[in-house]
């Protein structure tokens, strides 16, 4: 299959620029498109054949459901059993980086929801994503645009790397603003939610709208072999570079000492903060911004993980984020990318 590449300026485009892409979606094809979180690989969410194509292109197990994307929160009506809490969340966070899971209606094939009787709904704020959905005239099912298990694509070049020849078209709309996928919540009662995947809409922000927000344990811990998570995607290794990644926690000075020691031993890559750069040798470091700027870290995280595969070095080390605010989303992605490998370096007391 030949993949067409369309460059579209998110700040100045007309509906005509997206005509061909919308036609591809309507006729059952696949289009990679930018969103404010990460790029998505999209197909008609009402067409099970499109969903099957998405699973095949991504190499994704078909029991891992897809999010459906709508142009306006109210457009979810024909597809999901909505409720007042959904509209409260929509009023505060949509369009934007929030996905809400609700019971599904028959208009969405079970292929899209991985056999589940619920459906995940998101209304993206990215102008290209929003216009593409509107012009397609159908909700767009779209997982992150990465081969299953790899870091999500946050720019067209990364999507092209994974999907050239596997999709009909890729829309290049520049870099994704947030760089991490949407926050996912499941509505569990009139005024209760469970947070399944943290993102730019933080736990604290959700608590301002809903009085009972529970964080699923699987956000931070490893799943047991036999466990069936509420969010099927959590059971798969995720976001991972091809090289082994370990996270380094504990005291900042001890971390630095550890990174320096690893650099001396050679053959490693360090994903570090601005503040650490001047203490490290410049070879094999990837700076993801200030320790105090989780927004920037989120924006750069997946490209850093992809870059670590391209630089020379056999092992990758990164700082273990704390779990406050947006830190929880960074923690959740990194801990999965590292397959839960965390090192707490301690200074050897025999060494001065
Ligand atoms: O920001 C995003 O959400 C991006 C952009 C493209 O919108 N999409 C995205 O989709 O991250 P994906 O498929 O990579 O991640 C969706 C996650 C998966 O872990 C899946 O298991 C979960 O959402 N999910 C989808 N529908 C669900 C449902 N009905 N019940 C529970 N989990 C669901
Ligand atoms: Mg994904």
């Amino acid at each position: 299959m030949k993949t067409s590449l369309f460059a579209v300026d998110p700040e100045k485009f007309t509906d005509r620029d997206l005509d061909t892409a919308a036609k591809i979606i309507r006729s059952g094809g696949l289009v990679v498109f930018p969103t404010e979180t990460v790029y998505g690989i999209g197909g008609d969410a009402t067409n099970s054949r499109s969903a099957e194509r998405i699973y095949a292109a991504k190499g994704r197990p078909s029991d891992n459901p897809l999010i459906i994307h709508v142009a306006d929160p109210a457009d979810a009506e024909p597809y999901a059993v909505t409720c007042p809490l959904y509209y409260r969340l929509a009023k505060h966070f949509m369009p934007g980086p929030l996905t809400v899971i609700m019971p599904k209606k028959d208009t969405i094939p079970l292929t899209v929801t991985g056999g589940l009787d619920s459906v995940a709904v998101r209304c993206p704020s990215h102008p290209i994503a929003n216009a593409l959905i509107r012009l397609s005239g159908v909700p767009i099912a779209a997982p992150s645009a990465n081969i299953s298990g790899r870091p999500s694509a946050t720019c067209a070049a990364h999507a092209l790397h994974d999907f050239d020849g596997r999709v009909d078209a890729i829309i290049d709309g520049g870099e994704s603003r947030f760089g991490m996928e949407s926050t996912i919540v499941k509505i569990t009662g009139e005024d209760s939610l469970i947070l399944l995947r943290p993102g730019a809409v933080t736990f604290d922000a959700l608590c301002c709208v809903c009085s009972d927000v529970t964080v699923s344990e699987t956000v931070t811990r490893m799943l047991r072999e036999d466990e069936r998570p509420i969010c099927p995607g959590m059971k798969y290794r995720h976001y991972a570079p091809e090289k082994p990644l370990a996270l380094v926690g504990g005291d900042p000075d001890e971390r630095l000492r550890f990174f320096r020691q690893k650099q001396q031993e050679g053959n490693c890559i360090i994903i570090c903060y601005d503040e650490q750069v001047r203490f490290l040798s410049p070879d094999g470091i990837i700076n993801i911004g200030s320790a105090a700027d989780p927004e920037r870290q989120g924006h750069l995280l997946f490209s850093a993980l992809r870059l670590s595969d391209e630089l020379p070095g056999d092992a990758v080390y990164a700082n273990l984020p704390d779990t406050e605010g947006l830190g929880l989303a960074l923690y959740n992605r990194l801990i999965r990318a590292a397959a839960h490998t965390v090192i707490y370096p301690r200074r050897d007391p025999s060494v001065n």
Side-chain angles (χ1 to χ4, degrees):
M1 172 190 293
K2 168 144 177 38
T3 301
S4 318
L5 189 63
F6 305 123
V8 179
D9 182 343
E11 275 160 26
K12 81 175 181 283
F13 66 93
T14 64
D15 287 357
R16 282 191 52 191
D17 297 323
L18 298 176
D19 251 7
T20 312
K23 271 195 201 114
I24 293 173
I25 297 277
R26 270 198 304 277
S27 57
L30 302 187
V31 176
V32 168
F33 62 98
T35 87
E36 71 280 18
T37 56
V38 297
Y39 273 64
I41 163 172
D44 177 356
T46 62
N47 178 346
S48 47
R49 187 71 198 103
S50 299
E52 280 159 13
R53 286 201 175 129
I54 293 175
Y55 290 117
K58 258 184 87 89
R60 176 171 180 149
S62 59
D63 67 346
N64 190 0
L66 310 175
I67 295 175
I68 72 161
H69 296 67
V70 292
D72 182 276
D75 292 348
E77 280 305 327
Y79 313 108
V81 183
T82 64
C83 59
L85 178 54
Y86 168 69
Y87 282 103
R88 250 179 21 241
L89 290 164
K91 191 168 148 233
H92 283 82
F93 305 118
M94 290 182 189
L98 178 70
T99 296
V100 182
I101 298 175
M102 293 169 282
K104 85 171 199 62
K105 291 185 178 165
D106 289 344
T107 40
I108 296 295
L110 284 166
T111 334
V112 170
T113 64
L116 298 177
D117 56 8
S118 60
V119 63
V121 177
R122 164 157 140 73
C123 173
S125 62
H126 194 292
I128 294 176
N130 207 277
L132 179 66
I133 302 162
R134 178 170 49 76
L135 293 167
S136 301
V138 288
I140 297 186
S144 49
N146 53 281
I147 296 293
S148 199
R150 299 266 299 139
S152 303
T154 53
C155 63
H158 293 168
L160 190 66
H161 175 274
D162 285 12
F163 290 108
D164 195 12
R166 290 171 173 250
V167 296
D168 299 284
I170 295 178
I171 302 174
D172 182 351
E175 282 182 22
S176 292
R177 175 176 159 211
F178 293 111
M180 286 188 290
E181 306 85 346
S182 61
T183 301
I184 302 182
V185 295
K186 181 169 186 167
I187 295 183
T188 49
E190 255 174 51
D191 193 24
S192 57
L193 293 178
I194 176 156
L195 174 63
L196 297 175
R197 183 176 71 184
V201 174
T202 61
F203 172 77
D204 290 341
L206 291 165
C207 291
C208 296
V209 179
C210 174
S211 59
D212 177 13
V213 184
T214 317
V215 181
S216 167
E217 277 183 34
T218 52
V219 165
T220 51
R221 77 160 166 79
M222 209 175 336
L223 286 171
R224 290 184 305 274
E225 279 279 307
D226 58 340
E227 200 168 357
R228 280 180 64 95
I230 312 177
C231 188
M234 287 185 188
K235 73 182 172 205
Y236 299 105
R237 181 163 183 254
H238 230 127
Y239 315 119
E242 274 148 29
K243 294 172 187 168
L245 166 70
L247 304 183
V248 185
D251 176 73
D253 289 341
E254 297 299 332
R255 288 188 198 193
L256 255 181
R257 207 188 314 276
F258 178 87
F259 287 153
R260 287 164 61 97
Q261 184 198 324
K262 286 292 159 196
Q263 284 198 314
Q264 272 160 19
E265 286 166 18
N267 226 10
C268 73
I269 294 152
I270 315 275
I271 298 178
C272 67
Y273 298 139
D274 265 348
E275 293 83 350
Q276 295 170 324
V277 169
R278 67 194 173 100
F279 300 104
L280 297 171
S281 128
D283 293 333
I285 62 168
I286 304 174
N287 180 358
I288 56 166
S290 167
D293 189 353
E295 281 82 12
R296 176 107 188 115
Q297 292 170 40
H299 178 75
L300 294 175
L301 180 66
F302 287 138
S303 29
L305 292 176
R306 281 179 181 254
L307 182 59
S308 67
D309 277 335
E310 276 149 38
L311 295 178
D314 293 337
V316 188
Y317 299 95
N319 291 281
L320 179 74
D322 71 35
T323 55
E324 287 303 305
L326 192 56
L328 186 63
L330 287 158
Y331 181 96
N332 170 267
R333 304 309 190 278
L334 273 168
I335 202 90
R336 283 185 162 60
H340 290 264
T341 310
V342 182
I343 299 166
Y344 289 95
R346 281 211 189 289
R347 193 172 183 182
D348 180 350
S350 64
V351 179
N352 263 319

